[in-house]
Each structure stands twice: as C-alpha cells, then as structure tokens.
Amino acid sequence: MKLKGHQIIIFGLPRFDSPIESTNYTTAKLLARENEVYYIENPFTVRDFFRLRKTPEYQLRKKHFSLTGCSLIETDTPNLKVIIPPILLSVNFLPENGIFRAALRFNEFLIRTKLKSILKAYKIRDYIFINSFNFHYPGLTDGLTPKLKVYHCLDPMVLPFNRRHGVVSEDILVKQSDVVICSSKQLYEEKKTQNPYSYFVANAADLGHSSKALNNDLPVFPAIAALKKPVIGYLGAIERRMDYDLLKKVILANPDKSFALVGPVSREFVPDWFFTAENVHFPGSIDYHDMPAVIKGFDVALIPFKKDEVSSSIFPLKLFEYLGAGKPVVAIDFNPDLKEFTKGAVKFCEDAESFSEAINAALQTDNADQRKTRVTIAAENTWENRVEAIADIIHFHLEQVIHP
C-alpha cells in the first residue's frame, strides 16, 4: 500500500459493531494496517436514544456521547479507534427547505465540536477525511482543514428515508469533495459530471470468511441442513430489489427444489404467495459469523435482483461471497458491469425460463474444477485489493494533484 503513515478520519454510515459486514468499516480496518485511522460512526438521534436506551448497543456508547469529551473506543484492530458523536436532533422528518437545512447545520455543528475536541486532544492535524457514504451530513467538514476530502459513494439513493434529503445532500458532498470513489460504473458516470476527480472501484468480499464454507468440517447451518435437497439459496435482505414475479415462475417450475431466502424480510415488498408456497423457506436473519455455514448448504446461490435503473448501479457483496465459497451462481442480468468481473463463471439471465435452465444446468454440471475457478475469481476481488486501489487513488491525489 502506497498510502502509509497518514492520519485518516472516516465518517461511516454503519456503526462499528454492526453484525453485518460493511464496506465502510472494512475499509477503515484495512487502511489501519498502514495508517492511524479514526472511525466516526453514524450518530444517534434523540429518536434513537428513546428507542435504544435500554439496549447493549446504547450502554456501550453511553459514556462516550459527551459533546466535548475526548474518549475513544478501542478496537481489536491496531491503529483503529472509534469516535462516538454526540446525540443529535431528529430532523429527517422535516421537508426539504431552509428550516431543515438550518437544523442540519446545527447537528453538523455538534458533530464538528466533538471532532475538534478529538483533533486537539490527539494532535491530529495533517489528516485525510473520508466520508464513507454518510451523505446525510454534507457540511461536516465546513470549518475543518483536512488535507484531502474524499467521498466514497456506495449505492444509488433508493430508500424514501435517504431520498428525502439525501439527493440534495449528496450533490453538495460530491461537488465539494477533492476525490469521489464510486462502487459501480453507473454511479461513476453520474458523479463525474459533477466532479472530474471521480473514480470507479468495485465492491468486493471478505474471502477469508466466505471461504470457510469450503471446510469439510464446517457443519451446514441447521435451518438449511433441515431442508430437502437440492437447496437453491439467497442470502441477504429480502426487500424491494428482488424480482418476485420472475422468482415465482422459477419456483413453480421447480417444485422438486427447496428455495431458501435467508435474511431480514421487508414484508411490505414480498407477495403473500411466497409465505404459503410449500417449497419456499424463510429462515430469517442470521449472524455474520454464520454466513459460511449458510452458503455451504446452498447447491446453487441466487442473486434475483430485478433489472431497473436502481439495480444497474448495484455491485452486490454477495456475488464474491458466493464465489469465494465455490458455489455456482445464477443471477438476473441487472448490472452489465458484473460480467467483466466474473469472467463467465456466473450465469446472468434475462427471464424466468433461462433462470430456471441455469439452475438445473448448475446442479448437473458442478464439479471440483469449476469450484476452483470460482474461488480463484473471488480471490481477485478481495477487500484487500479494492482498498489498495482506493489507497493508491488517495496517494496519487496527495502527491500529484494537491502537491505536484
């Protein structure tokens, strides 16, 4: 890694102890191998306080919420510490207008006040600031003097909560950043019209974790092991992105197979039919620790995202998690970029008929050589490789653009 010996502040959207792997915190951990990294997690709001005040999540942070305090949370990763912002006002319910922007500036002032205390206490002066997809606070660095401001854009705006103010806020953030790094080509094409220093670095996977599925001694996750074989599986959030019309046709055409949809379910998006079908199973959410044991039980792994403008800019982490476990993967052709990174090892389908045919072909032809090829492809798409690319971009701008 060319980027070495720097002080880096990363403002991420996920909380550091989230049970789900995130690009944001993984980036922080890997940059900390050669740099001193401080991870600011997404702030609690007053609404979060009343909702979570009795939970272990809140109790862990309780003594760190002080506006002017300098306490940090130590992590298991050397050179990586966590900053807990103060509790903020709940303002997202407001309409997009001057009142909302004034309230947002006040919240940003609170975070900035805490951050300034940390900067002073730990003598953090010549630092890089990375906003890792926390577009909710575009003005946080106003009044701060980082030597480089980076925005890491990871997904399109989809959820109503994010779109309410996020579209406007992200535009501000993209334009004022020195560097913008995008996780898909479509996002890159969009952002480079606003900021010429935009780059494309694709998502990846934690191969060291997903490859545990290759261990013969690892037992299959009980809820998957109990299903009739073959098991056709999906692991991830079960929500609006999935093409339920196509899936229903595929499931009806394959009554001899068990379809396991593993993950949190947003029932408002899932047609009632799926909950009554005899060969469809919803094991529910799992811990990240159990991911390899779940995938190990899949005979074929699915990515059934519907093809639309939103999905065309999604680069799903599960793609390389599946491949890293050696599993055959069948997906809808929702993002043309994925073919470049999978080198023919994944079948991308246009309709239910070809999707069903691909599942059956995978069941009939899967072998040790194919599994080895999949793992090799996944090994080319690790977080280590991606963060190395991000670090090189940052190093280039520090050495050639900021100080040519």
Side-chain angles (χ1 to χ4, degrees), residues 8-12 14-16 25 37-44 61 64-67 69-75 80-86 110-119 122 124 129:
I8 303 174
I9 295 173
I10 299 180
F11 185 29
R15 298 202 167 107
F16 81 97
Y25 194 61
V37 179
Y38 299 83
Y39 183 82
I40 310 174
E41 66 169 24
N42 195 44
F44 272 58
R61 294 161 172 79
H64 301 287
F65 284 125
S66 169
L67 180 63
C70 302
S71 61
L72 301 170
I73 294 180
E74 299 286 340
T75 72
L80 175 59
K81 297 177 175 61
V82 176
I83 299 171
I84 305 299
L110 295 178
I111 305 172
R112 190 162 51 246
T113 299
K114 173 68 172 278
L115 183 54
K116 284 183 175 179
S117 296
I118 299 291
L119 295 175
Y122 295 93
I124 305 170
F129 186 91

Side-chain angles (χ1 to χ4, degrees), residues 21-42:
E21 178 196 25
S22 70
T23 301
N24 322 67
Y25 194 61
T26 298
T27 300
K29 288 191 291 185
L30 293 175
L31 286 175
R33 291 179 177 180
E34 301 286 353
N35 302 275
E36 182 182 319
V37 179
Y38 299 83
Y39 183 82
I40 310 174
E41 66 169 24
N42 195 44

Side-chain angles (χ1 to χ4, degrees), residues 22-294:
S22 70
T23 301
N24 322 67
Y25 194 61
T26 298
T27 300
K29 288 191 291 185
L30 293 175
L31 286 175
R33 291 179 177 180
E34 301 286 353
N35 302 275
E36 182 182 319
V37 179
Y38 299 83
Y39 183 82
I40 310 174
E41 66 169 24
N42 195 44
F44 272 58
T45 64
V46 172
R47 182 174 179 270
D48 294 326
F49 166 75
F50 285 109
R51 184 170 57 89
L52 300 171
R53 66 186 185 279
K54 295 182 180 180
T55 65
E57 183 180 1
Y58 173 80
Q59 295 302 321
L60 174 65
R61 294 161 172 79
K62 187 176 180 179
K63 66 179 182 180
H64 301 287
F65 284 125
S66 169
L67 180 63
T68 56
C70 302
S71 61
L72 301 170
I73 294 180
E74 299 286 340
T75 72
D76 295 334
T77 302
N79 299 322
L80 175 59
K81 297 177 175 61
V82 176
I83 299 171
I84 305 299
I87 296 175
L88 307 183
L89 300 176
S90 301
V91 300
N92 203 70
F93 69 93
L94 294 170
E96 177 56 56
N97 56 25
I99 294 175
F100 166 77
R101 289 292 152 182
L104 178 61
R105 284 194 293 273
F106 179 73
N107 276 347
E108 290 171 337
F109 166 77
L110 295 178
I111 305 172
R112 190 162 51 246
T113 299
K114 173 68 172 278
L115 183 54
K116 284 183 175 179
S117 296
I118 299 291
L119 295 175
K120 182 177 180 181
Y122 295 93
K123 298 179 181 179
I124 305 170
R125 298 186 181 93
D126 198 26
Y127 62 93
I128 299 163
F129 186 91
I130 301 175
N131 183 310
S132 187
F133 202 52
N134 201 332
F135 47 82
H136 295 294
Y137 304 94
L140 178 58
T141 57
D142 293 348
L144 300 177
T145 56
K147 59 183 176 182
L148 192 74
K149 293 188 290 185
V150 180
Y151 176 51
H152 197 182
C153 180
L154 296 173
D155 274 312
M157 294 283 173
V158 178
L159 297 177
F161 180 89
N162 291 337
R163 290 191 61 83
R164 186 176 185 87
H165 303 293
V167 174
V168 174
S169 291
E170 189 178 56
D171 282 350
I172 296 170
L173 195 53
V174 169
K175 290 173 183 175
Q176 71 176 14
S177 296
D178 299 307
V179 178
V180 178
I181 298 172
C182 305
S183 64
S184 76
K185 284 187 178 178
Q186 181 169 318
L187 288 171
Y188 160 71
E189 294 294 339
E190 293 172 0
K191 304 313 177 190
K192 75 175 183 179
T193 63
Q194 300 171 287
N195 188 319
Y197 294 115
S198 295
Y199 298 86
F200 167 47
V201 178
N203 271 334
D206 182 359
L207 185 59
H209 190 48
S210 62
S211 63
K212 294 174 185 176
L214 299 169
N215 184 346
N216 291 330
D217 295 329
L218 178 72
V220 173
F221 191 73
I224 304 300
L227 299 179
K228 175 186 173 184
K229 299 285 269 181
V231 176
I232 315 303
Y234 166 84
L235 176 59
I238 302 157
E239 33 78 36
R240 65 156 299 280
R241 292 182 296 179
M242 297 176 69
D243 190 334
Y244 295 103
D245 291 337
L246 182 147
L247 267 181
K248 182 177 180 180
K249 293 175 183 177
V250 171
I251 292 165
L252 287 172
N254 294 273
D256 58 323
K257 302 174 182 65
S258 296
F259 288 82
L261 305 180
V262 185
V265 180
S266 298
R267 292 204 55 141
E268 66 270 25
F269 297 111
V270 186
D272 291 339
W273 178 87
F274 283 81
F275 299 103
T276 59
E278 291 185 1
N279 62 331
V280 179
H281 308 273
F282 293 91
S285 299
I286 62 159
D287 291 334
Y288 180 67
H289 170 79
D290 292 320
M291 182 261 281
V294 170

